[in-house]
Amino acid sequence: MDVVWGEDLPVQLLVLAVAAVAAPLLVDRVERWVRLPSVVVEIVLGILIGPQILGLVQPNLLFETVSQLGLAMLFFLAGYEIDFKAVRGRPIGLASLGWLASFVLAGGGLWLAGVDAVLIMAIGLCSTALGTILPIARDSGLLAGPVGPHLMAVGAVGEFAPIALLALFFSEGHHSGRTTFVILVVGLAVAAAAFGSLKRSARVGRLLSATLGTSAQLAVRLSVLVLLAAVLLAAEIGVDIALGAFAAGICMHVLLAALDEREEELVRSKLDGIGFGAVVPVFFVYTGVTFDLDELVSSPVALALIPVFLAAFALVRGVVTFAFFARVLPRRQRGALAAFAATELPIVVVAATTATERGLVDASVAAAMIGAAMISVLVFPLVGLRWARMDTRAVTAEAI
């Protein structure tokens, strides 16, 4: 689909903004019947206003740029959200082993099925949409419970490992230092995680605190600077911007640990406001705008592949996670963790789009994979929250 400048660009921009605002309002209206994640409504609205239905918004260079910024912000916030003090040790160890098992299972299954693009398809199947599920888990209180550290660990590995592999094997750049850059970025993120529990800097803490309530807003400005620098550097070298954004989020979390807990929460809320209040919704709405609905509905094979991909997400990430945490969490809490682990979207979009552009898979197959990922965001978090509510009721009943 070509990306063009539209003559009615201001009108299209307004329609896009209306869709972003309408999504949480619609979520609130239907909450009495079903609890929908806002991102699902944003994508559906994007499809509705896009060129294949109402035609109110066309693929556009400006929207593409803002959408990529939203994607970067989504991964930045995901990296920033990870509390390495909480996930270190057994949670991150089990999450890493579980992801490796998922990758082997996905790769082996695709190879046995005779799929040509085994690596990139396996990368897509083994991802977890950490940036998408964290707001849902946090708003429901799940993140603050016993499942929280394990969910954060599973999501961190399930998002970071696929990003690194995509950057290493499927980047568009031909810079001689590309591989070195990927290794350095991965090493930087790991180092930041390792030093996340070091003693806080009093000088940095005073400087950040002094400007937090003023127009200077050093912490927020520094976060935006680090994000943009990491994204631009990644783009210049030729690796996926998501890798730089995720690593930047991890580094900023470590740096802003110099703040006290209340101030750090205030900075997080401001970054959430910039991300989820502005640019991240544009990414999801624009994903719907550019979604190839005609390619999907015109192919019976593609439609049949949607439940296949959905089942693959559940098996590769959900069942494997459920099994690996058998000795750590009770059954209902593992069910909640497994359902959230099987929720996929942003990396699937990147992997499927890259595979299509390089001729590795048909556009209809990529559309089916993205469609299944959209459904996973709708279904699996609801299943996870249901498991969590069942666990809460069981604990309450035992207490009585």
Side-chain angles (χ1 to χ4, degrees):
M1 187 177 294
D2 294 332
V3 179
V4 298
W5 289 104
E7 295 180 357
D8 56 344
L9 181 61
V11 176
Q12 295 186 46
L13 181 60
L14 179 61
V15 173
L16 196 70
V18 169
V21 172
L25 299 177
L26 291 174
V27 169
D28 180 68
R29 293 293 294 177
V30 302
E31 191 172 12
R32 68 180 69 177
W33 298 290
V34 60
R35 188 171 183 176
L36 293 175
S38 181
V39 298
V40 173
V41 181
E42 289 163 6
I43 294 172
V44 171
L45 288 177
I47 296 174
L48 181 64
I49 65 177
Q52 300 189 41
I53 298 184
L54 296 180
L56 299 176
V57 176
Q58 302 294 328
N60 182 287
L61 184 58
L62 173 63
F63 299 160
E64 177 72 22
T65 302
V66 179
S67 173
Q68 288 299 302
L69 182 59
L71 175 64
M73 193 67 182
L74 181 68
F75 280 97
F76 175 86
L77 292 173
Y80 182 83
E81 191 77 29
I82 301 171
D83 184 357
F84 286 97
K85 291 181 180 179
V87 305
R88 65 184 178 184
R90 197 170 190 182
I92 199 70
L94 286 175
S96 300
L97 291 174
W99 187 86
L100 286 174
S102 296
F103 187 70
V104 171
L105 177 61
L110 291 167
W111 181 75
L112 290 175
V115 177
D116 293 329
V118 172
L119 180 58
I120 195 168
M121 295 290 284
I123 290 172
L125 290 176
C126 291
S127 63
T128 295
L130 178 64
T132 305
I133 63 176
L134 276 183
I136 301 172
R138 187 172 57 203
D139 293 345
S140 66
L142 185 65
L143 207 58
V147 179
H150 304 288
L151 176 60
M152 199 172 294
V154 168
V157 176
E159 191 137 82
F160 188 65
I163 296 171
L165 290 179
L166 282 173
L168 189 59
F169 293 105
F170 296 99
S171 297
E172 295 181 353
H174 301 284
H175 194 282
S176 59
R178 187 187 69 189
T179 302
T180 303
F181 174 76
V182 173
I183 295 173
L184 287 175
V185 170
V186 173
L188 178 63
V190 172
F195 288 102
S197 58
L198 289 180
K199 184 179 179 180
R200 297 178 174 182
S201 169
R203 174 183 290 182
V204 174
R206 285 196 301 270
L207 182 59
L208 294 173
S209 299
T211 60
L212 196 57
T214 70
S215 59
Q217 296 292 329
L218 179 60
V220 177
R221 294 187 188 191
L222 187 59
S223 297
V224 174
L225 174 62
V226 171
L227 169 62
L228 292 178
V231 167
L232 290 175
L233 180 59
E236 179 67 21
I237 297 297
V239 300
D240 197 282
I241 62 173
L243 176 63
F246 193 83
I250 294 175
C251 294
M252 284 308 302
H253 178 90
V254 174
L255 176 61
L256 295 181
L259 298 170
D260 62 38
E261 186 175 345
R262 182 189 64 82
E263 292 171 334
E264 189 176 358
E265 184 60 34
L266 182 59
V267 172
R268 178 183 285 108
S269 68
K270 292 181 178 183
L271 293 175
D272 282 348
I274 296 173
F276 295 110
V279 292
V280 172
V282 175
F283 165 72
F284 287 114
V285 174
Y286 194 72
T287 297
V289 170
T290 57
F291 181 66
D292 201 343
L293 184 63
D294 289 342
E295 190 71 44
L296 179 63
V297 299
S298 63
S299 173
V301 174
L303 290 173
L305 282 175
I306 291 179
V308 174
F309 279 125
L310 198 62
F313 296 158
L315 173 62
V316 169
R317 290 300 287 147
V319 174
V320 170
T321 300
F322 188 87
F324 265 79
F325 285 82
R327 297 184 178 181
V328 179
L329 295 172
R331 185 173 63 89
R332 294 185 182 91
Q333 292 180 6
R334 276 187 291 138
L337 177 63
F340 277 100
T343 305
E344 311 188 15
L345 185 59
I347 295 177
V348 171
V349 172
V350 175
T353 302
T354 302
T356 304
E357 291 174 348
R358 300 195 174 193
L360 299 175
V361 300
D362 292 335
S364 59
V365 175
M369 192 173 184
I370 295 173
M374 293 178 183
I375 296 174
S376 77
V377 175
L378 171 63
V379 175
F380 292 150
L382 297 179
V383 174
L385 293 176
R386 182 174 179 83
W387 275 103
R389 286 194 294 269
M390 291 171 59
D391 179 67
T392 301
R393 285 197 294 267
V395 172
T396 303
E398 289 177 1
I400 295 175

